[in-house]
Amino acid sequence: SSDAQNDVAADPAMEAPSSIRVYGTVTEIQDGQILLENDVEGDPYASILLNVTEDTIILSASDYSEKELSDIQQGETLYAYVSPAMTRSLPPMSNALLIFCEIEDELAVPTYATITDISVDEDGTTRISTDQQLILIPGDNTSILTLDGETQLSVSDLAVGDQILASYQIMTMSIPAQTNPDEIRLMP
């Protein structure tokens, strides 16, 4: 007997994520690498070594200002988005694409995602699909801004392939989850 009938067709708009979110406390910083550790039971990335490269973006979670590796302190909590390509070593090692530091409210750390599809329903509702299994439905109260927050944008400024930071309070429990974001920032 074949298990083929159990295969669920993948939604073409839902691509594999281009990054994986990890978090933890900085336990070591050495030679451009950060060891992050958390004590969440069952977290496959409870201990992970982040390679900080010249392409790594380090942002303050409080105001999105750009930071340097030297700004990160041992004992600090970080959220990081890393490449899904990682070593099989223990702890696994991966290139950090984006690191959030200066985290005041863990619930407020935005989601870093790549836009995979933008569609408009018959009723005019815009749906922005992302690679993070998250659909953003911008409303009248959604701010769309440049990363520095200085320029107001509109949905028409967003395109498939753009990388964004999405901030939201609640999302549906569906897969993919849906949310009406408070803010979308377009990465340069």
Side-chain angles (χ1 to χ4, degrees):
S1 74
S2 141
D3 288 321
Q5 67 265 22
N6 296 336
D7 283 357
V8 179
D11 179 336
M14 297 315 266
E15 294 174 20
S18 53
S19 63
I20 295 170
R21 179 152 119 163
V22 298
Y23 81 101
T25 303
V26 177
T27 54
E28 204 176 306
I29 304 175
Q30 199 177 345
D31 303 330
Q33 294 184 321
I34 299 172
L35 182 60
L36 267 195
E37 298 188 289
N38 71 50
D39 50 14
V40 176
E41 200 171 320
D43 183 345
Y45 311 112
S47 181
I48 185 165
L49 200 54
L50 308 180
N51 286 327
V52 180
T53 70
E54 57 191 26
D55 296 327
T56 302
I57 301 164
I58 302 175
L59 296 177
S60 164
S62 61
D63 64 2
Y64 298 117
S65 57
E66 293 215 30
K67 298 292 177 183
E68 302 291 328
L69 178 56
S70 57
D71 295 320
I72 293 175
Q73 307 298 321
Q74 197 157 334
E76 182 177 3
T77 297
L78 301 181
Y79 276 73
Y81 283 85
V82 301
S83 166
M86 53 184 80
T87 64
R88 294 187 179 278
S89 58
L90 286 174
M93 182 168 44
S94 180
N95 287 346
L97 307 173
L98 176 68
I99 295 173
F100 282 110
C101 60
E102 296 181 355
I103 293 165
E104 292 160 10
D105 177 359
E106 295 199 13
L107 296 175
V109 176
T111 296
Y112 172 63
T114 300
I115 297 174
T116 56
D117 186 59
I118 300 176
S119 63
V120 180
D121 294 350
E122 286 174 14
D123 66 1
T125 303
T126 299
R127 291 175 187 278
I128 302 171
S129 300
T130 71
D131 66 339
Q132 292 292 341
Q133 293 215 337
L134 178 67
I135 294 177
L136 304 171
I137 303 173
D140 297 338
N141 57 347
T142 303
S143 309
I144 303 176
L145 302 164
T146 50
L147 179 61
D148 60 18
E150 288 178 15
T151 308
Q152 191 82 33
L153 304 173
S154 68
V155 171
S156 59
D157 294 311
L158 302 176
V160 170
D162 281 349
Q163 291 171 326
I164 55 168
L165 300 176
S167 302
Y168 48 89
Q169 304 300 316
I170 51 173
M171 61 182 179
T172 63
M173 295 306 287
S174 59
I175 296 179
Q178 299 188 19
T179 187
N180 175 275
D182 301 317
E183 188 178 86
I184 297 172
R185 298 252 182 149
L186 180 61
M187 301 290 285

